[in-house]
Amino acid sequence: MTKTVARTDWHPASWQALTAAQQANYPDSAALDRAVDELSRLPPIVTSWEVDRLSAEMARAQRGEVFILQGGDCAETFAECTSENIVAKLKILLQMSLVMLYGMKKPVVRVGRMAGQYAKPRSADTETRDGETLPSFRGDLINRNPFTADDRVPDPQLILRGYERAALTLNFVRSLIDGGFADLHHPEYWDLNWVGHSPMAKEFHAIVASISDSLDFLETVAERPLHKTHRADIYAAHEGLHLRYEQAQTRYLDRRERWYNLTTHFPWIGMRTSSLDGAHIEYFRGIANPIGVKIGTSMTREWIQSLIEVLNPNNEPGRLTLIHRFGAKAIEEHLPDLITAVSETGSPVLWVCDPMHGNTETTADGIKTRRFNNILSELDAAFRVHESMGSILGGVHLELTGEDVTECTGGARGLTDSDLARAYKSTVDPRLNYEQAMEIALRIAGKHQHRF
Ligand code: PEP
Ligand code: CO
């Protein structure tokens, strides 16, 4: 890796001079240009002041004052853009954050992998079944999942359908929140079906009751309702993979004198597109959003230091999040050196643990899964290593759903490989179901409570 990359004039299309990994081959490039042009004239999905507010929250998370909970599907699908699904995702994020707030005694900032998480990197450009080879499925923003030649051709119109669904999703989330859905006085709104019969129901209800009591007490003392200040916000995040899509909604705001990607609050760079001389790093360095980079076992000291230099040259707090995903077996070996390398730069970063992507495995039947114990063990190690090195783990990044799927094994119900066939819905990576996600939240909460 070269240490310094000379970079001068950035503009939203400057990435086009570099190699862009993981981009689809559109057979009709004029049709793609027309779709991108239409997209660039549509209004933004988020606003710059929301983006700036999240940067400020990220800066607080770097200092350990708040904790970031980032979660959602590996890949959202157009078909699952339904009221039930959005509500279930919102509920699980709210419930988890409530439990974590209680245990960690600090505010929890919720960031959904939602409202735009429609493009996926793939390990191979093509897929072969029974002797037939077709382009890989790259997410609903690009092509369609069924294994037919027609479905797998990248379709430029899908970027418009994806933009629309992202906007519909965020619009519904905002309406729910404005209507009081996320008010801490009414956590009973967030009950999912599991609460009645789950092994964790008792613990969850005890936490809810305790928080309601505390709020009542505070309001009595303060002689005014506190609920306005206790309303939860939700931010949107997705992997900024499809650069024509991201570029189309990148706007210069005169008042702020900066460019913003207004498709989402928090775009991140995936592990397969973080090459220093690649197009993704070039695009991301010029936008004012808080940005994330996924960090795996191939990351080196020099590479991470150069990433910081290029992506956050002015050492702005809240600007850069490093999302590490090594796997339970590799984290202790890789994380300490990288923490040292980062601290040598003196630049502030937010460390977030993604305990999912380093722990993917394939069962004897060829099904992609993750073992709950490996996820927990990577998370435990992340807290332990950061604490021992004097750095701060400021958040977690999870693939989860509010539904009762069977995609990851283990957890309180002891799901095994033979349960996977029952309710495996993800088109890409296996997600925690609502119970497993709550168990993670209770674990994080419990771990912190024992410290006091
Ligand atoms: C993902 O977050 O779904 C993903 C592909 O992760 P990574 O880039 O860390 O492999
Ligand atoms: Co994934």
Side-chain angles (χ1 to χ4, degrees):
M1 276 305 144
T2 43
K3 175 88 177 80
T4 310
V5 180
R7 288 164 197 270
T8 46
D9 304 328
W10 185 93
H11 56 91
S14 57
W15 63 268
Q16 293 187 14
L18 301 169
T19 306
Q22 297 283 344
Q23 306 302 289
N25 282 322
Y26 287 87
D28 184 348
S29 63
L32 176 63
D33 290 345
R34 282 195 301 277
V36 167
D37 188 51
E38 187 176 339
L39 180 59
S40 67
R41 278 180 276 112
L42 292 168
I45 296 176
V46 303
T47 63
S48 61
W49 54 91
E50 292 166 350
V51 171
D52 288 346
R53 201 172 63 213
L54 181 59
S55 289
E57 296 285 17
M58 297 281 193
R60 293 178 70 203
Q62 286 172 353
R63 299 190 295 267
E65 296 162 15
V66 303
F67 194 76
I68 306 288
L69 167 62
Q70 186 176 11
D73 300 309
C74 180
E76 289 179 283
T77 64
F78 290 178
E80 283 168 1
C81 180
T82 63
S83 158
E84 293 75 22
N85 264 304
I86 296 166
V87 167
K89 220 171 300 167
L90 193 56
K91 283 178 172 179
I92 187 69
L93 287 173
L94 288 167
Q95 285 187 348
M96 290 175 78
S97 64
L98 190 70
V99 166
M100 289 160 63
L101 160 93
Y102 180 80
M104 303 181 100
K105 313 251 178 304
K106 57 173 95 165
V108 175
V109 178
R110 302 148 207 87
V111 181
R113 276 178 71 113
M114 65 194 295
Q117 177 53 18
Y118 292 122
K120 297 305 298 175
R122 299 316 305 250
S123 46
D125 283 343
T126 56
E127 184 183 343
T128 301
R129 286 190 206 172
D130 302 327
E132 190 182 7
T133 300
L134 295 175
S136 295
F137 173 56
R138 290 185 173 275
D140 282 0
L141 195 69
I142 292 142
N143 56 1
R144 298 179 178 84
N145 196 22
F147 194 75
T148 74
D150 275 356
D151 284 311
R152 291 294 175 90
V153 179
D155 175 354
Q157 284 298 308
L158 295 178
I159 63 172
L160 292 162
R161 303 293 85 78
Y163 158 86
E164 290 153 6
R165 278 176 172 73
L168 291 171
T169 302
L170 205 54
N171 179 59
F172 186 43
V173 167
R174 288 190 168 119
S175 305
L176 286 167
I177 289 176
D178 284 348
F181 184 78
D183 185 337
L184 286 185
H185 288 83
H186 297 289
E188 70 277 9
Y189 295 170
W190 315 340
D191 267 8
L192 286 150
N193 298 334
W194 67 274
V195 172
H197 56 78
S198 167
M200 285 164 291
K202 228 171 112 201
E203 213 174 330
F204 178 68
H205 281 134
I207 289 173
V208 166
S210 166
I211 290 178
S212 298
D213 284 354
S214 309
L215 264 184
D216 289 348
F217 173 74
L218 285 175
E219 290 183 346
T220 311
V221 175
E223 292 180 351
R224 65 185 170 84
L226 295 173
H227 68 274
K228 280 263 182 304
T229 53
H230 283 80
R231 216 182 54 196
D233 286 317
I234 300 250
Y235 295 95
H238 67 245
E239 179 173 346
L241 184 70
H242 190 320
L243 291 176
R244 296 291 304 274
Y245 178 81
E246 307 298 330
Q247 182 195 328
Q249 283 276 330
T250 302
R251 306 265 156 86
Y252 186 73
L253 297 189
D254 286 330
R255 205 158 46 83
R256 291 182 158 73
E257 298 183 346
R258 301 179 83 175
W259 292 88
Y260 285 80
N261 177 338
L262 296 178
T263 61
T264 192
H265 302 110
F266 179 59
W268 77 85
I269 303 166
M271 200 188 65
R272 290 158 194 79
T273 48
S274 61
S275 165
L276 267 179
D277 49 10
H280 289 79
I281 298 294
E282 172 60 17
Y283 169 74
F284 271 76
R285 82 181 171 97
I287 55 172
N289 303 57
I291 59 174
V293 190
K294 292 284 203 91
I295 303 294
T297 50
S298 58
M299 183 54 57
T300 62
R301 293 173 49 84
E302 295 70 31
W303 186 358
I304 210 167
Q305 290 181 339
S306 302
L307 282 173
I308 291 172
E309 193 181 310
V310 173
L311 295 174
N312 193 13
N314 300 321
N315 301 333
E316 282 173 53
R319 157 75 173 160
L320 185 58
T321 296
L322 301 176
I323 306 167
H324 54 75
R325 29 88 80 227
F326 299 112
K329 290 199 188 75
I331 180 168
E332 312 243 15
E333 184 193 336
H334 290 268
L335 182 56
D337 277 355
L338 294 178
I339 294 177
T340 307
V342 168
S343 73
E344 280 167 14
T345 68
S347 191
V349 303
L350 171 62
W351 289 105
V352 166
C353 173
D354 164 0
M356 313 296 293
H357 287 88
N359 291 313
T360 315
E361 53 186 277
T362 307
T363 66
D365 295 337
I367 305 175
K368 242 192 194 184
T369 191
R370 291 164 174 154
R371 317 261 172 224
F372 189 75
N373 278 345
N374 290 339
I375 295 169
L376 266 192
S377 129
E378 180 162 3
L379 197 55
D380 281 351
F383 277 108
R384 200 166 55 237
V385 171
H386 279 288
E387 192 171 6
S388 73
M389 307 265 315
S391 75
I392 292 169
L393 182 66
V396 288
H397 179 118
L398 302 166
E399 286 185 345
L400 53 81
T401 167
E403 293 173 83
D404 185 15
V405 298
T406 55
E407 298 173 5
C408 294
T409 57
R413 294 209 181 243
L415 294 183
T416 64
D417 286 3
S418 59
D419 291 305
L420 294 177
R422 184 154 49 82
Y424 198 105
K425 296 192 191 158
S426 175
T427 48
V428 197
D429 288 340
R431 302 161 295 178
L432 298 165
N433 64 25
Y434 53 68
E435 241 173 22
Q436 292 166 330
M438 276 308 283
E439 206 171 334
I440 296 269
L442 288 164
R443 174 76 160 225
I444 295 174
K447 179 186 289 301
H448 284 79
Q449 267 174 325
H450 295 147
R451 293 216 189 122
F452 298 107

